[in-house]
Amino acid sequence: MKKLLLVSTITALTLTSVVFVPQVQASNIAQSVCEYVAADDKKRMRSFLKTNKLKIRNIFSGIQCNGQNLLEFAATAGAIDTGSMIISKLPKSVVSENLALIQSGSQPLIDAANERVSS
């Protein structure tokens, strides 16, 4: 009986710790990506994505920076290098859906998005 109680307690503790870890990690990933976009640090962002085996097209819909998606945030922050990288990695359909959102941003990003959609 004691062994059964001990095994069930250990199993419950293990399952509880597994449930909370991915949420914390996802929060840290989103925060890091937003910081790299805000700083317009393309090199560190690429390195971070590669280290964590992530692709922009997979995380784009799940990350919000100041209530904006990554592309809109890059446009408002004036992050030309990282914004251009995001545009090049996203599917054309996603870029065309977000074209109206980046119209208030910097002209090089608008040009890159228009070129991506038209090609």
Side-chain angles (χ1 to χ4, degrees):
M1 187 68 174
K2 287 183 181 180
K3 286 184 180 181
L4 180 63
L5 182 61
L6 181 63
V7 169
S8 63
T9 304
I10 290 173
T11 304
L13 289 174
T14 303
L15 291 176
T16 305
S17 65
V18 170
V19 171
F20 293 112
V21 172
Q23 293 175 344
V24 172
Q25 185 180 9
S27 175
N28 290 339
I29 288 173
Q31 182 179 1
S32 296
V33 169
C34 290
E35 288 174 358
Y36 295 141
V37 171
D40 198 20
D41 196 345
K42 178 180 166 183
K43 182 179 177 182
R44 289 183 62 201
M45 184 169 168
R46 291 182 90 160
S47 174
F48 178 79
L49 292 171
K50 187 173 183 176
T51 301
N52 290 296
K53 297 179 181 175
L54 298 171
K55 293 185 177 185
I56 289 178
R57 66 176 57 220
N58 295 337
I59 64 171
F60 179 77
S61 63
I63 294 182
Q64 296 280 316
C65 304
N66 293 339
Q68 303 170 326
N69 66 32
L70 285 175
L71 195 52
E72 184 180 5
F73 182 68
T76 58
I80 297 169
D81 291 337
T82 54
S84 298
M85 183 183 78
I86 292 169
I87 289 170
S88 69
K89 300 296 182 184
L90 289 175
K92 291 179 186 180
S93 60
V94 175
V95 175
S96 65
E97 290 171 5
N98 291 290
L99 207 59
L101 296 175
I102 63 171
Q103 292 300 322
S104 63
S106 60
Q107 191 60 40
L109 283 182
I110 296 168
D111 294 341
N114 286 328
E115 183 178 325
R116 174 82 172 135
V117 170
S118 64
S119 64

